Amino acid sequence: VQLQASGGGLVQPGGSLRLSCVASQRTGVMAWFRQVPGKEREFVTSIRRSDGNKRYADSVKGRFTISRDNAKNTVYLQMNSLKPEDTAVYMCAADFASWNSGSSYYYNPASYTYWGQGTQVTVSS
């Protein structure tokens, strides 16, 4: 599976960006992680293909929204009210698995088999 992420850029605090990730084939779950130099990869959000079940990191709840277009094998990440601490490389991830609702697998980057190249998001005035 190949993943192609796009939509990053420079935005002022309080602004918005929309990221997209296109998969070359259908998968069970798609997610966004982010990473800054010197820190571990951080879970942002995920969405399950079968029922649209979503998860969010506490740090982005109420500000970020994940959505999907199954016909296009594409997920979107709408990021509003951006803060400087949201600055990171955002990476799209996917796996054929569709874990149970209570599973912690969604939050662990090691659970995902396929990764995109990442797109830089910089929030700065």
Side-chain angles (χ1 to χ4, degrees):
V1 178
Q2 295 183 334
L3 303 174
Q4 182 67 45
S6 61
L10 173 64
V11 63
Q12 293 187 343
S16 298
L17 279 176
R18 188 192 194 209
L19 306 184
S20 300
C21 178
V22 182
S24 59
Q25 57 185 288
R26 63 185 295 172
T27 58
V29 59
M30 293 184 73
W32 289 95
F33 287 77
R34 64 187 182 186
Q35 191 168 25
V36 297
K39 291 191 175 181
E40 292 184 354
R41 197 165 292 185
E42 177 189 18
F43 172 83
V44 177
T45 182
S46 66
I47 188 166
R48 192 163 59 190
R49 182 186 180 96
S50 60
D51 60 359
N53 184 271
K54 305 174 186 178
R55 285 162 177 76
Y56 294 95
D58 288 343
S59 58
V60 307
K61 280 180 182 176
R63 301 188 298 122
F64 291 11
T65 302
I66 191 170
S67 60
R68 77 200 197 284
D69 184 335
N70 285 347
K72 297 180 179 179
N73 292 327
T74 300
V75 294
Y76 305 97
L77 179 61
Q78 179 66 42
M79 303 186 295
N80 298 329
S81 302
L82 282 161
K83 305 175 181 179
E85 51 263 44
D86 294 318
T87 296
V89 174
Y90 283 71
M91 293 163 283
C92 178
D95 200 90
F96 288 116
S98 185
W99 304 299
N100 293 333
S101 295
S103 175
S104 61
Y105 289 170
Y106 291 99
Y107 306 95
N108 186 350
S111 302
Y112 295 83
T113 304
Y114 306 100
W115 290 85
Q117 83 287 4
T119 183
Q120 177 70 46
V121 171
T122 302
V123 185
S124 175
S125 55

